[in-house]
Amino acid sequence: MSDGKLTGKVAIITGASSGIGQGIALKYAAEGASVVIDYFGNDAGATSAKQQIEAAGGKAIIVAADVSKPSEVGSLVDQAWAAFGKADILVNNAGVEKGGEFVDVLEADYDFVLNVNLKGPYFTTQAFVKRLLAANMPGRVINMSSVHEDMVFPHFSTYCAAKGGLRMLMRDLAVELGPKNITVNNIAPGAISTPINTKMMADGPQLRALLANIPLGRMGTLDDVANLATFLASDDAAYITGSTYVVDGGLMRSYHEQ
Ligand code: BGC
């Protein structure tokens, strides 16, 4: 693994036991990075990701950390440094969504979605950056946002609030951390075939309505997102910061008269 796009790099990926996070972990490892697989709850998924990486000759550790708990993400970053001596790339991928009419949203639902999707990236990035600054090292932060950092999603107000916040957090940190050579960008996936969409994909009419809104006529794959995440983590993206990269088959620009 000497000629990958991420050879010699160490990447922490939150929520890497399934879906987009696992896809990125496998791709980064295939490109030569040592990977820290953060997960919460899904031991089997995390173990499977590690085994797949090792079977292909890559390096990975798994760390259980709830991103919504600042003390746990501090330990996550510490474990990355303990295992690999540094951490160059952070992918804030862990995310949840919970639909519901605005008037029915409970405080517990709000806290669940905002804590994982916004407080999580905030304090994980803080812990990641503190170690970089102490070591005087450059770094990359990539947040898994959504088309819904910009586009409405009725009945998912907490999700939109979190992703909209993540957009401004990314912009703000890009400016604050740029002088330290730490770049910060967002990826905004549209509808990707992952566990977060299992329910919708099993609902024929809902799936057909969604696909009618996607100019490229299909849902995205893990590779569609992981390829972009690889580019943003690679040396090719050294001059890119403060931007959101949309990977949605055209969904965000699509409008239909019914
Ligand atoms: C959400 C999916 C949704 C997609 C497109 C994603 O951020 O997680 O549930 O299908 O956006 O609306």
Side-chain angles (χ1 to χ4, degrees):
M1 296 231 173
S2 57
D3 55 354
K5 290 184 188 132
L6 302 177
T7 297
K9 305 286 187 199
V10 177
I12 300 172
I13 301 155
T14 67
S17 54
S18 72
I20 290 173
Q22 190 186 95
I24 292 175
L26 299 183
K27 180 75 76 181
Y28 277 16
E31 291 291 346
S34 299
V35 170
V36 179
I37 298 164
D38 159 74
Y39 75 103
F40 179 68
N42 183 359
D43 306 60
T47 304
S48 154
K50 181 176 191 284
Q51 283 168 350
Q52 290 179 66
I53 287 170
E54 288 174 346
K59 286 203 194 86
I61 60 166
I62 59 178
V63 177
D66 176 351
V67 298
S68 68
K69 307 256 166 56
S71 63
E72 296 195 18
V73 295
S75 156
L76 167 66
V77 174
D78 287 345
Q79 289 183 63
W81 279 73
F84 297 120
K86 62 172 185 166
D88 312 278
I89 300 157
L90 169 64
V91 182
N92 284 309
N93 167 78
V96 294
E97 70 183 39
K98 188 164 196 300
E101 298 273 336
F102 168 67
V103 290
D104 296 331
V105 172
L106 303 173
E107 184 181 358
D109 302 331
Y110 177 95
D111 287 345
F112 172 59
V113 175
L114 271 289
N115 285 349
V116 174
N117 293 9
L118 187 56
K119 183 178 177 183
Y122 193 101
F123 286 103
T124 310
T125 302
Q126 189 185 65
F128 173 72
V129 165
K130 275 185 184 171
R131 295 291 300 246
L132 291 178
L133 296 182
N136 199 18
M137 279 177 54
R140 298 282 169 89
V141 178
I142 299 165
N143 299 314
M144 204 51 59
S145 180
S146 164
V147 288
H148 301 299
E149 69 164 43
D150 205 35
M151 191 173 82
V152 298
F153 197 9
H155 308 116
F156 288 86
S157 54
T158 51
Y159 190 76
C160 288
K163 297 301 186 181
L166 192 55
R167 181 176 71 168
M168 278 311 297
L169 178 63
M170 173 275 290
R171 293 177 177 182
D172 213 56
L173 296 187
V175 173
E176 189 167 331
L177 301 175
K180 305 293 182 191
N181 203 8
I182 297 170
T183 67
V184 190
N185 292 290
N186 280 10
I187 292 177
I192 310 297
S193 308
T194 73
I196 210 169
N197 281 318
T198 307
K199 205 164 133 234
M200 184 270 294
M201 289 187 295
D203 180 331
Q206 216 193 333
L207 179 59
R208 277 193 294 281
L210 172 70
L211 292 179
N213 274 316
I214 301 177
L216 291 184
R218 64 169 176 88
M219 290 184 72
T221 65
L222 295 183
D223 272 355
D224 289 327
V225 183
N227 289 338
L228 176 57
T230 301
F231 165 69
L232 287 173
S234 76
D235 291 344
D236 292 339
Y239 196 57
I240 296 174
T241 195
S243 290
T244 293
Y245 285 76
V246 178
V247 50
D248 72 343
L251 172 67
M252 205 167 174
R253 298 287 173 247
S254 176
Y255 171 74
H256 285 283
E257 298 283 339
Q258 292 307 320

